[in-house]
């Protein structure tokens, strides 16, 4: 079982989307919002590739669980993870994703001091730290994700107001909305 950063991010948004995504039902390819976020991440800091490196990282955890991530920009000299996001609408999930990166780096003995989430459209950043006493919290997230994706039944939908901009909206709410 491989738990990746995308699953950790989704875990903090919607358990139903997590289950669907992990079980091969992906809708992100139909979303303009997802595509726009991908473009912002690729085009916002073109000079960064010259001084920072992309990093793929893996950790073997208890229970046969593998945790992995592909960190777009890691400044190894300063021990800083850089993550670019389209907006801060789902900030809790963004912070969780960066904490997961820091967790994996530390599990591999790589000095990782903090993360910086950059929101180019908002022209703002957020610093993310992972105190040592929160490492077990990340391990609990990973166990929860594994439990959720192995359920035989898909978790319930969230309230419709939280779902409107989700790429799974039509999948989850088809036939249940009166226009």
């Amino acid at each position: 079982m491989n738990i990746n950063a995308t699953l950790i991010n989704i875990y903090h948004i919607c358990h139903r989307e997590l289950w669907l995504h992990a079980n091969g039902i992906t809708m992100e390819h139909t979303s303009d919002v997802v595509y726009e976020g991908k473009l912002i991440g690729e085009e916002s800091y073109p000079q960064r590739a010259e001084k920072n490196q992309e990093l793929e990282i893996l950790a073997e955890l208890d229970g046969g669980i593998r945790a992995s991530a592909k960190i777009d920009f890691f400044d190894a000299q300063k021990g800083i993870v850089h993550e670019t996001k389209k907006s801060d609408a789902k900030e809790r999930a963004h912070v969780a994703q960066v904490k997961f990166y820091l967790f994996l780096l530390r599990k591999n003995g790589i000095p990782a001091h903090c993360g910086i989430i950059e929101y180019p459209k908002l022209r703002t950043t957020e610093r993310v730290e992972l105190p040592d006493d929160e490492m077990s919290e990340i391990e609990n997230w990973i166990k929860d994700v594994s439990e959720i994706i192995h359920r035989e039944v898909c978790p319930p939908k969230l309230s419709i107001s939280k779902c409107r901009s989700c790429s799974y909206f039509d999948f989850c709410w088809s036939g249940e909305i009166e226009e």
Side-chain angles (χ1 to χ4, degrees):
M1 163 58 39
N2 185 45
I3 306 298
N4 62 36
T6 299
L7 297 177
I8 293 297
N9 183 301
I10 297 170
Y11 167 73
H12 287 86
I13 298 168
C14 175
H15 291 182
R16 181 181 182 90
E17 180 181 352
L18 169 65
W19 188 91
L20 290 166
H21 184 90
N23 285 283
I25 302 170
T26 58
M27 305 300 290
E28 289 82 1
H29 64 282
T30 66
S31 172
D32 291 339
V33 173
V34 171
Y35 181 71
E36 182 183 2
K38 182 175 171 54
L39 284 177
I40 287 171
E42 292 172 352
E43 296 176 2
S44 293
Y45 302 100
Q47 75 284 4
R48 183 167 289 148
E50 297 170 12
K51 64 177 182 171
N52 299 322
Q53 59 191 12
E54 182 177 273
L55 180 64
E56 288 190 45
I57 193 156
L58 172 71
E60 299 285 341
L61 305 173
D62 294 339
I65 297 174
R66 295 173 57 165
S68 67
K70 183 173 151 185
I71 302 170
D72 292 336
F73 300 110
F74 178 62
D75 183 337
Q77 289 182 333
K78 295 180 181 176
I80 299 175
V81 170
H82 291 271
E83 180 70 12
T84 306
K85 294 294 184 184
K86 176 182 165 288
S87 73
D88 63 352
K90 296 183 176 127
E91 186 175 323
R92 182 171 167 240
H94 298 166
V95 170
Q97 183 176 344
V98 173
K99 284 186 175 192
F100 180 72
Y101 292 155
L102 296 170
F103 170 86
L104 288 178
L105 289 164
R106 290 183 190 164
K107 282 287 190 185
N108 281 278
I110 299 169
H113 305 292
C114 69
I116 304 291
I117 304 173
E118 299 157 330
Y119 300 100
K121 288 178 77 173
L122 300 173
R123 295 188 175 143
T124 188
T125 62
E126 179 174 351
R127 183 180 175 95
V128 177
E129 296 185 1
L130 180 61
D132 290 338
D133 62 342
E134 289 184 20
M135 292 287 285
S136 62
E137 181 180 358
I138 311 304
E139 290 176 353
N140 288 335
W141 295 347
I142 294 166
K143 289 175 188 171
D144 284 351
V145 167
S146 179
E147 190 275 324
I148 290 166
I149 64 180
H150 285 96
R151 289 180 187 166
E152 289 195 27
V153 178
C154 183
K157 298 176 275 203
L158 298 176
S159 67
I160 197 164
S161 64
K162 295 179 181 179
C163 299
R164 290 240 184 244
S165 63
C166 177
S167 58
Y168 289 81
F169 180 79
D170 289 338
F171 180 89
C172 292
W173 291 96
S174 178
E176 294 189 34
I177 301 172
E178 293 182 26
E179 296 292 327

